[in-house]
Amino acid sequence: MSGNDFDAIGSINIGPGTIDPREYQADTGAVELDYYVAILVLEATSDAADHKPLYEESFVLLKAESEEEAKEKAAEHGKQQETSYQNENHELITWKLKQTIEVKPLEDATFDDGTELYSRFFRNYQAYSSFEPLTEEEA
């Protein structure tokens, strides 16, 4: 097709709106997004007299152009998780983002069986092992 052939084609009617092939250009500057994992900690507070602190550690998968953008998206995700509600005892429960622990790029984004999503190094195993998951009754 020559350039004159496009002039003869004109616009393509696709309903409400048209596409003129003379104006269409592929986006050659598209940025590839990378995968990141963000570790967030949320805290539940309550107006109940016997309330014990409750925390949730959340691992969130993000796609971003840069680590800075991933950090921004992690903070936004954490803020979106914030909520307040009345429990069955009419006590006010409030969940708030306590901290973004870390945002790391995923080294392997193939997501095959056994793909490592997150790892970190630490020295104090005693402190690490003191974290006990809650039973369903406790949560």
Side-chain angles (χ1 to χ4, degrees), residues 15-86:
T18 58
I19 298 174
D20 187 333
R22 294 169 290 194
E23 296 174 4
Y24 176 77
Q25 294 179 7
D27 185 6
T28 57
V31 176
E32 187 173 325
L33 300 178
D34 293 317
Y35 283 98
Y36 294 83
V37 62
I39 297 83
L40 308 174
V41 173
L42 291 103
E43 178 181 29
T45 58
S46 173
D47 60 0
D50 61 344
H51 175 74
K52 294 179 187 173
L54 181 62
Y55 302 93
E56 178 186 16
E57 182 179 42
S58 178
F59 293 70
V60 179
L61 180 65
L62 303 167
K63 286 177 79 172
E65 291 182 19
S66 66
E67 191 166 338
E68 185 61 38
E69 181 186 6
K71 288 177 180 179
E72 291 171 10
K73 290 177 86 172
E76 180 61 31
H77 180 81
K79 290 291 184 188
Q80 289 174 1
Q81 301 309 304
E82 293 183 344
T83 187
S84 292
Y85 57 89
Q86 296 281 328

Side-chain angles (χ1 to χ4, degrees), residues 11-21:
S11 297
I12 301 168
N13 187 353
I14 59 168
T18 58
I19 298 174
D20 187 333

Side-chain angles (χ1 to χ4, degrees), residues 52 54 88-89 133-139:
K52 294 179 187 173
L54 181 62
E88 64 276 359
N89 298 324
L134 296 177
T135 65
E136 287 194 27
E137 298 83 41
E138 293 175 308

Side-chain angles (χ1 to χ4, degrees), residues 64-136:
E65 291 182 19
S66 66
E67 191 166 338
E68 185 61 38
E69 181 186 6
K71 288 177 180 179
E72 291 171 10
K73 290 177 86 172
E76 180 61 31
H77 180 81
K79 290 291 184 188
Q80 289 174 1
Q81 301 309 304
E82 293 183 344
T83 187
S84 292
Y85 57 89
Q86 296 281 328
N87 68 9
E88 64 276 359
N89 298 324
H90 305 288
E91 299 161 335
L92 180 64
I93 306 296
T94 301
W95 282 95
K96 290 214 175 257
L97 176 64
K98 179 132 180 106
Q99 184 179 0
T100 300
I101 301 297
E102 190 169 20
V103 176
K104 288 177 60 171
L106 290 179
E107 300 300 322
D108 180 7
T110 59
F111 305 110
D112 293 326
D113 189 27
T115 298
E116 182 176 277
L117 298 179
Y118 177 75
S119 69
R120 63 179 161 182
F121 298 94
F122 54 91
R123 296 194 186 277
N124 188 339
Y125 182 75
Q126 184 176 7
Y128 175 81
S129 64
S130 70
F131 290 106
E132 296 180 28
L134 296 177
T135 65
E136 287 194 27

